[in-house]
Amino acid sequence: MRKKIVAGNWKMNTTLGEGVGLAKDVNEALKNATPKCDVIICVPFTHLAPVNDVIDQNKLGLGAENCADHVKGAYTGEISAEMVASTGAKYVILGHSERRQYYGETSETLKEKVNLALANNLTPIFCIGEVLEERENGTYHDVVKNQIVEALFDLSAEDFGKIILAYEPVWAIGTGKTATDDQAEEIHAYIRGVIADKYGKEVADNTSILYGGSCKPSNAAQLFAKPNVDGGLIGGAALDAQSFMGIVNAF
Ligand code: 13P
């Protein structure tokens, strides 16, 4: 059975002190809770090791927001998958639309990143999603399919089974404009079909597909009630422990 997951993506927010404090607050809130989903926080590189020290990863998983597309060496300023894993992190967000848009990430580089993440026992949270124009001109199915095929479909079924997908329509990220639950369900079901065509129904049924884009406590329950929406990747609302827990408790 596929997992239900709520994951926070802190993006480029919080100083180290603020981030450790936020992680402690979420960890504390989960201590005596029995959420109906796995809970993960993905934090800036600088925060990984200190956050790992203050959380119980049996209750709160830790991830990075990116990793390099090379193993190691002369790549000034880059952080490798091995370095991420050495902090205690277990997950890594890859292919976020902000990385594709602002840092020129392509399916080719993402393929390398996915391979390196898996080689270092990190679970990729792989992001896909269309821009507004592609939603409006009706090409969004192809856009999302190509993003999956190009970066992931060279994986064996076993390795594909380790991936968490996050569908994040770019027009809904940070805009307050959430996809409706029906819009999310329609594209999530399509994505599951694409996976089934390649890897078979069992792999498709076991793949967690998260929704991301202006997800908040007030709309999470409706989105998560849809059969093909297995949870959320949360930006802004993950920066406040109470609102993040409000989304976790939407399950
Ligand atoms: P918001 O929840 O702030 O819209 O961000 C979504 C996102 O990009 C998560 O990765």
Side-chain angles (χ1 to χ4, degrees):
M1 259 306 281
R2 60 184 178 255
K3 286 182 174 167
K4 307 282 185 196
I5 299 166
V6 170
N9 172 12
W10 290 5
K11 307 193 180 185
M12 195 174 74
N13 292 296
T14 72
T15 62
L16 179 56
E18 290 163 352
V20 168
L22 175 56
K24 275 184 182 166
D25 288 347
V26 176
N27 190 66
E28 193 59 36
L30 285 168
K31 219 175 226 170
N32 300 312
T34 42
K36 297 195 182 74
C37 60
D38 287 1
V39 186
I40 299 165
I41 47 174
C42 297
V43 308
F45 291 131
T46 44
H47 300 17
L48 286 169
V51 165
N52 184 49
D53 287 343
V54 299
I55 63 171
D56 172 6
Q57 278 213 58
N58 294 315
K59 291 225 141 183
L60 178 59
L62 178 63
E65 300 173 14
N66 182 27
C67 71
D69 58 343
H70 296 282
V71 176
K72 67 191 301 187
Y75 302 100
T76 301
E78 288 294 291
I79 307 287
S80 70
E82 186 181 23
M83 292 174 187
V84 169
S86 73
T87 68
K90 303 277 187 268
Y91 301 86
V92 59
I93 295 173
L94 292 175
H96 193 281
S97 62
E98 289 150 14
R99 303 252 9 129
R100 294 177 190 261
Q101 200 178 343
Y102 307 139
Y103 300 95
E105 292 199 354
T106 62
S107 294
E108 276 309 300
T109 52
L110 289 171
K111 212 162 140 173
E112 296 303 321
K113 292 183 183 207
V114 167
N115 287 335
L116 288 165
L118 291 173
N120 286 282
N121 296 316
L122 295 170
T123 298
I125 301 175
F126 190 83
C127 302
I128 51 184
E130 81 284 357
V131 298
L132 184 60
E133 189 190 347
E134 294 158 342
R135 165 65 55 171
E136 288 178 345
N137 68 18
T139 58
Y140 64 99
H141 294 98
D142 287 344
V143 169
V144 164
K145 181 178 179 176
N146 287 339
Q147 289 171 339
I148 297 172
V149 170
E150 288 170 5
L152 301 177
F153 274 9
D154 283 341
L155 294 172
S156 66
E158 189 190 344
D159 278 345
F160 187 87
K162 297 171 186 164
I163 306 281
I164 297 167
L165 284 179
Y167 168 72
E168 300 203 306
V170 179
W171 47 271
I173 295 176
T175 58
K177 197 175 166 187
T178 322
T180 66
D181 48 347
D182 286 336
Q183 281 175 322
E185 173 60 18
E186 186 267 333
I187 185 75
H188 281 225
Y190 170 78
I191 291 165
R192 206 176 299 286
V194 168
I195 299 166
D197 287 344
K198 168 74 180 173
Y199 293 107
K201 191 172 180 313
E202 193 182 336
V203 171
D205 280 346
N206 285 329
T207 302
S208 296
I209 308 175
L210 315 184
Y211 168 80
S214 298
C215 189
K216 35 189 187 274
S218 58
N219 59 24
Q222 220 175 340
L223 286 159
F224 298 171
K226 290 294 179 184
N228 283 292
V229 179
D230 303 311
L233 183 57
I234 318 301
L239 295 172
D240 176 82
Q242 217 180 335
S243 71
F244 186 58
M245 287 306 296
I247 297 172
V248 169
N249 291 327
F251 269 119

